Amino acid sequence: MRYDGAIEELRLREYPVLQGTTYLDHAGTTLYAKSLIERFSTDMMANLYGNPHSASNSSQLTTRRVEDIRLRLLEMFGADPAEFDVVFVANATAGIKLVMEAFRDQEDGYWYGYHRDAHTSLIGVREAAFEHHCFTTDTEVDEWIGEGGDGVRRPALFAYPAQSNMNGRRLPLEWSRCIRDKRGSVYTLLDAAAYVSTSPLDLSDPDAAPDFTVLSLYKIFGFPDLGALIVRQASASIFDKRRYFGGGTVESVVCLREQWHAKKEMLHERLEDGTLPIHSIMALDAAMSVHQELYGSMRDVSKHTSFLAAKLYEGLSSLSHGNGASVCHVYKDSTSTYGESHTQGPVVAFNLQNQHGGWVSNAEVEKLAAIKNFQLRTGGLCNPGGVASSLDLAPWEMRANFSAGQRCGNDNDIIRAKPTGMIRVSLGAMSTLNDVASFVHFVREFFAQDASPAVTPPITLKQSKPLIASRLHVESLSVYPIKSCAAFSVPPRKAWEVRREGLAWDREWCLVHQGTGAALSQKRYAEMALIRPSIDLEKGVLRVRLMGRLQETASTDEITVPLSADPRLFSDENTFKGANAKVCGDSIKAKTYKSRQISDFFTQALGVACHLARFPAVGDGDGPLACSRHSKPHLQRKQKAGELHVPGAFPDSRAATAGTAVSKPILLSNESPILTISRSSLNRLNELIKADGGKAAQAEVFRANIVVAEGLHYPPGAEQAYAEDDWRYLQIGQQYFEMLGPCRRCQMVCVDQQTAERNQEPFVTLSKTRRFDGRVYFGEHTSHLPMKNGASALVQNPTIAVGDAVRALLSDEVQDDNMYT
Ligand SMILES: *Cc1c(COP(=O)(O)O)cnc(C)c1O
């Protein structure tokens, strides 16, 4: 469907619900608000309402009116006052808290189960529970119901939203009845706050009704600011154990010499602490009347809003960029259908993408929407479970994002090429077809792109050559999660993120001496080679395994540490004097893990008292890079190998001298973000070692991140060993890298990474063949060059993979203005 056609179609279409009434723009809202406030003010001017509980006329009038309105509210839901009571509360959250208090005050505490789509206010109930469980799918709930039985020794409460406040998806209302049928003693709490704003809720059958229903009246009527808790009388006894009482909730209180009190009879009297918001309750009466006069019944509102939501969904989903890519990614639940009011409410949650698939920042959308006077909401939407599952954010990512400065409602909303929140548009009784059409038009006007300005690579070639023709490819990618310990090989074809500070997860952790705080290295503790960390993104853990002879040293040969930098895992910085770990003489603020189990594991393995420490995430701290170290200044390079002059060394460099000062953030790696070696050069080196009867060196001893190899069809003799001495830039897959200069070597390359034994090779042969100016070099320092512009996934989430084609670029192949300084 072409969009312009769609707009016309919307305009011409017979408008089925509010016939005869044309509300354009915000006129509907204005008319409603004006009528409501007028009705309320007429009431206020005509009557004097006193505080209830007195004999005065004004007080009696209040009591009578409040009772009538309570009844009217129950009627709105078809609830029989003999079966239900309604408790006025400040908002839905206050209603949830009342229920939570009742369960908290049970002798053995309570079990709490809640659905993934729950609003934050429902999730908080778990904090007071003895045990709690988050149901991540509907099927899981159905299975749990199907199991039947009470199953639990203590009171149990199951809570879920009737409508997700994230994407408007409506959950099965029959769960309350099913749970009562199959799991007798489990209470149900229905959060109807989002649902009732555009839908009738039928409580006429007390056997099918939830035990507790909470709602926000202001979400239906706009005004007054009130909430309600509707309780099934049959379940009211759970509140008997509520310990608190306040003004108005007790018949009699004794506090001198004896402590005794008698609670009031009616449930609402016992739960409404203090003076009721009586004027708000009066306003509720006016709101119910005006709402019905203008918008008809809640059934009408439901039909009207469902119709509009289906139009909005169609309109947004059909928007596309000039190149055919979609503009809106809508987070619709697979079980729901727009237009079907029992599965979907009038809410559309989505994110916008540019034509290259990159995400548009919500903060940008929000600013423009505000200018155009659209009232929409962005961010985490107070629905952590729903948002995390829709955005596919693992707990470690949410924590990492939090550490990187992401907070609900700030501008920092695209992290690792994933949005951290979404945009939500909700429709109500007062929304019109015109509102829908103008919103779709707005998104198209500002976010649909016609031409496609491609991303610009960071360097310009004098002559373009196809990458395919290259004879090089990535043979392996390795990260060293714990500095100086064994490598983790990135699985073949797995797209691995390249960050400014190097490959993702490289040197995020280190081991620090408990006394000095210095970072341990293989130079002194060769056995570190036998400590093998691996990154398990599925489970969200760093797994550390002891290999070879270390297996006997500790009581267990494997531990796991969460990838999330949960602040509770770390020692208080002040309690550990050595918290400023030293890497290459630089003091860095690594946070040590306080777990005894973790420290014992490494201490027993290496025979030296040490802690595991974590480098704080880049962006954590005061400034954007407050805590990260910066790489040594750009290394000066000369093209002829014989003139190589490189300051600094791996692994223990101190010197940082001349060169163009490009400071790049790195974590705990010693010198540059990434180390690249060439398989051809390694083969040449090993031929020489073997010719002398020595033991060939494995790639691992050089602790490279990237091993670049020539294709198999280049026989050994035809390989170009040490071609990397002349490389200026590398293109790996779609990403660009700058070569910073050769890497200086020391005897650490002699530690066999499988056995932790020290050899003479490859250092002896290296010093015979690769020594310049008294220094020995092998491998190249490398750093990633981000694309210059554009917001595609290439830019937002740069990745490389094993098998990627590699093109080496020499200085004379690139334009001079490329000097990346
Ligand atoms: C708005 C909302 C809440 C919170 O309601 P308050 O009245 O702000 O306490 C809880 N749950 C859902 C589903 C909501 O939409």
Side-chain angles (χ1 to χ4, degrees):
M1 172 164 75
R2 282 263 313 144
Y3 176 75
D4 287 330
I7 259 200
E8 273 321 294
E9 194 192 301
L10 291 187
R11 284 213 183 99
L12 298 175
R13 185 135 180 180
E14 194 51 33
Y15 194 35
V17 179
L18 295 179
Q19 272 164 0
T21 327
T22 3
Y23 298 142
L24 285 177
D25 301 321
H26 299 282
T29 324
T30 313
L31 177 61
Y32 169 76
K34 191 159 167 278
S35 317
L36 167 51
I37 298 303
E38 274 171 7
R39 178 119 12 147
F40 178 52
S41 75
T42 309
D43 183 14
M44 287 300 107
M45 287 192 284
N47 298 298
L48 178 64
Y49 293 110
N51 200 340
H53 312 303
S54 305
S56 66
N57 289 342
S58 61
S59 176
Q60 289 299 313
L61 178 61
T62 303
T63 307
R64 212 187 71 207
R65 290 287 317 276
V66 169
E67 274 162 15
D68 291 348
I69 298 167
R70 214 184 277 282
L71 187 62
R72 184 171 183 192
L73 186 59
L74 284 176
E75 278 165 2
M76 183 172 155
F77 301 107
D80 178 349
E83 301 283 357
F84 293 92
D85 197 356
V86 58
V87 181
F88 284 115
V89 285
N91 46 40
T93 305
I96 294 168
K97 268 165 77 180
L98 269 181
V99 176
M100 180 274 283
E101 281 171 12
F103 280 84
R104 188 190 56 195
D105 293 350
Q106 303 298 310
E107 259 146 50
D108 295 326
Y110 62 104
W111 176 91
Y112 183 58
Y114 60 100
H115 191 276
R116 174 197 80 194
D117 285 348
H119 185 276
T120 316
S121 296
L122 274 190
I123 300 176
V125 175
R126 74 179 181 200
E127 299 297 309
F130 181 84
E131 266 180 290
H132 53 82
H133 177 72
C134 174
F135 289 83
T136 53
T137 60
D138 292 8
T139 319
E140 194 190 347
V141 177
D142 290 330
E143 283 169 4
W144 169 74
I145 295 175
E147 282 164 20
D150 305 346
V152 266
R153 274 177 291 108
R154 46 183 58 80
L157 176 66
F158 175 77
Y160 72 105
Q163 173 177 316
S164 156
N165 63 310
M166 179 195 83
N167 61 3
R169 175 250 162 149
R170 289 181 173 165
L171 287 85
L173 289 176
E174 60 277 9
W175 277 346
S176 298
R177 176 200 282 276
C178 298
I179 289 175
R180 186 163 302 124
D181 288 351
K182 296 272 194 164
R183 293 197 149 254
S185 68
V186 178
Y187 290 85
T188 50
L189 165 58
L190 182 72
D191 172 2
Y195 183 79
V196 293
S197 60
T198 52
S199 171
L201 175 69
D202 180 13
L203 300 178
S204 60
D205 178 1
D207 292 334
D211 296 300
F212 317 103
T213 304
V214 291
L215 44 111
S216 318
L217 292 163
Y218 71 90
K219 284 194 186 169
I220 313 177
F221 304 112
F223 172 76
D225 305 330
L226 259 189
L229 162 66
I230 301 177
V231 181
R232 235 175 121 243
Q233 299 280 17
S235 317
S237 59
I238 194 87
F239 289 99
D240 294 349
K241 294 261 170 59
R242 185 170 98 111
R243 287 188 214 134
Y244 180 77
F245 61 82
T249 63
V250 277
E251 294 287 7
S252 168
V253 182
V254 176
C255 54
L256 304 177
R257 280 194 301 238
E258 279 180 47
Q259 261 82 43
W260 174 86
H261 68 274
K263 286 182 185 156
K264 283 196 172 162
E265 188 73 9
M266 303 276 281
L267 182 67
H268 68 256
E269 289 176 325
R270 288 194 271 140
L271 297 182
E272 287 166 349
D273 303 321
T275 305
L276 278 174
I278 50 174
H279 297 98
S280 295
I281 296 173
M282 304 304 161
L284 176 62
D285 199 23
M288 285 195 274
S289 304
V290 173
H291 194 272
Q292 181 163 36
E293 284 159 26
L294 280 180
Y295 301 125
S297 69
M298 289 309 288
R299 278 193 49 146
D300 294 335
V301 171
S302 172
K303 266 202 272 177
H304 166 68
T305 50
S306 270
F307 170 79
L308 292 187
K311 289 289 151 204
L312 179 60
Y313 174 69
E314 282 163 28
L316 290 178
S317 315
S318 63
L319 289 180
S320 55
H321 296 290
N323 65 3
S326 304
V327 178
C328 294
H329 181 96
V330 178
Y331 300 103
K332 187 182 80 62
D333 195 277
S334 60
T335 61
S336 86
T337 307
Y338 279 92
E340 249 181 45
S341 60
H342 65 284
T343 62
Q344 179 63 52
V347 174
V348 182
F350 60 96
N351 268 309
L352 299 176
Q353 284 180 289
N354 65 27
Q355 58 190 342
H356 306 295
W359 298 99
V360 178
S361 155
N362 286 344
E364 281 315 301
V365 180
E366 196 163 37
K367 280 175 208 155
L368 280 166
I371 291 169
K372 290 287 177 181
N373 206 18
F374 288 107
Q375 321 299 315
L376 49 76
R377 167 112 188 241
T378 67
L381 310 177
C382 285
N383 194 306
V387 167
S389 68
S390 294
L391 299 180
D392 189 25
L393 293 171
W396 69 262
E397 285 183 290
M398 300 198 48
R399 283 212 200 261
N401 292 351
F402 186 81
S403 305
Q406 194 265 328
R407 295 291 181 277
C408 204
N410 73 5
D411 282 11
N412 195 0
D413 55 13
I414 310 281
I415 299 183
R416 253 171 271 112
K418 283 187 186 180
T420 57
M422 49 180 78
I423 304 162
R424 181 182 70 195
V425 178
S426 310
L427 300 163
M430 63 291 294
S431 306
T432 64
L433 261 184
N434 194 54
D435 294 338
V436 170
S438 10
F439 184 72
V440 177
H441 178 75
F442 159 77
V443 175
R444 188 174 106 113
E445 183 180 1
F446 287 96
F447 301 101
Q449 298 167 310
D450 293 333
S452 50
V455 280
T456 318
I459 56 174
T460 330
L461 300 184
K462 285 184 178 154
Q463 248 183 356
S464 75
K465 284 188 287 188
L467 180 60
I468 306 300
S470 165
R471 53 193 273 162
L472 299 170
H473 68 276
V474 175
E475 180 186 87
S476 66
L477 291 176
S478 305
V479 292
Y480 303 85
I482 306 179
K483 184 186 153 58
S484 242
C485 293
F488 167 68
S489 289
V490 173
R493 279 181 295 282
K494 167 104 186 147
W496 202 255
E497 191 192 337
V498 198
R499 302 180 184 163
R500 283 184 306 169
E501 61 276 12
L503 296 187
W505 306 106
D506 193 39
R507 277 90 165 194
E508 282 259 343
W509 289 267
C510 64
L511 296 174
V512 294
H513 192 280
Q514 288 187 8
T516 63
L520 305 187
S521 114
Q522 266 190 41
K523 208 154 139 191
R524 199 167 296 161
Y525 304 98
E527 297 82 5
M528 291 177 82
L530 303 179
I531 297 179
R532 176 151 301 160
S534 58
I535 299 288
D536 184 342
L537 292 177
E538 287 281 296
K539 300 237 162 58
V541 294
L542 167 74
R543 198 181 302 286
V544 188
R545 195 166 285 170
L546 300 179
M547 311 303 290
R549 62 173 186 271
L550 287 198
Q551 279 172 326
E552 281 96 63
T553 56
S555 37
T556 166
D557 61 5
E558 182 179 308
I559 54 163
T560 57
V561 179
L563 292 179
S564 14
D566 182 344
R568 288 173 300 188
L569 296 175
F570 300 99
S571 307
D572 205 350
E573 246 145 338
N574 306 330
T575 62
F576 177 55
K577 281 192 252 64
N580 284 347
K582 293 191 187 77
V583 174
C584 301
D586 286 354
S587 218
I588 54 142
K589 265 217 183 101
K591 294 183 180 155
T592 56
Y593 284 81
K594 63 177 173 208
S595 151
R596 274 288 301 273
Q597 192 218 348
I598 296 178
S599 298
D600 286 353
F601 176 81
F602 291 105
T603 298
Q604 286 167 12
L606 295 176
V608 50
C610 60
H611 291 301
L612 179 68
R614 178 152 188 179
F615 195 72
V618 173
D620 196 1
D622 306 325
L625 294 170
C627 295
S628 67
R629 292 186 333 126
H630 287 255
S631 66
K632 301 292 191 267
H634 188 311
L635 308 163
Q636 184 105 55
R637 67 173 294 143
K638 304 234 172 89
Q639 291 310 320
K640 263 172 61 199
E643 290 172 21
L644 281 173
H645 173 77
V646 186
F650 181 84
D652 197 20
S653 104
R654 254 157 254 274
T657 47
T660 3
V662 180
S663 194
K664 293 168 198 299
I666 52 175
L667 290 178
L668 298 172
S669 60
N670 290 51
E671 184 132 354
S672 65
I674 296 169
L675 193 87
T676 306
I677 65 168
S678 144
R679 165 61 63 187
S680 307
S681 306
L682 179 59
N683 286 348
R684 171 71 50 86
L685 176 66
N686 280 333
E687 282 158 27
L688 296 174
I689 293 176
K690 283 189 283 190
D692 253 8
K695 182 168 168 249
Q698 286 166 313
E700 289 78 19
V701 301
F702 297 103
R703 307 188 68 74
N705 299 109
I706 304 177
V707 179
V708 168
E710 292 177 67
L712 287 178
H713 46 285
Y714 293 96
E719 282 183 337
Q720 298 179 350
Y722 300 113
E724 67 271 23
D725 287 344
D726 294 327
W727 296 348
R728 185 78 183 87
Y729 297 99
L730 280 185
Q731 183 187 351
I732 301 181
Q734 313 237 51
Q735 298 296 330
Y736 292 84
F737 296 80
E738 182 177 18
M739 310 309 287
L740 301 179
C743 175
R744 191 178 156 194
R745 295 301 177 168
C746 69
Q747 69 278 21
M748 197 177 128
V749 297
C750 295
V751 178
D752 184 309
Q753 298 294 300
Q754 308 301 320
T755 62
E757 276 154 15
R758 290 177 215 263
N759 304 306
Q760 299 203 342
E761 292 294 3
F763 196 69
V764 168
T765 304
L766 268 184
S767 25
K768 287 185 196 146
T769 54
R770 292 286 296 165
R771 188 161 56 175
F772 310 100
D773 283 349
R775 297 186 175 93
V776 174
Y777 298 99
F778 192 86
E780 294 281 315
H781 294 295
T782 311
S783 83
H784 177 241
L785 294 179
M787 295 286 174
K788 276 183 177 156
N789 59 5
S792 75
L794 278 188
V795 183
Q796 291 176 354
N797 189 31
T799 58
I800 56 176
V802 172
D804 276 354
V806 175
R807 169 170 37 195
L809 297 159
L810 311 183
S811 284
D812 58 6
E813 289 178 289
V814 295
Q815 303 278 4
D816 285 346
D817 59 356
N818 287 320
M819 292 310 148
Y820 204 84
T821 50

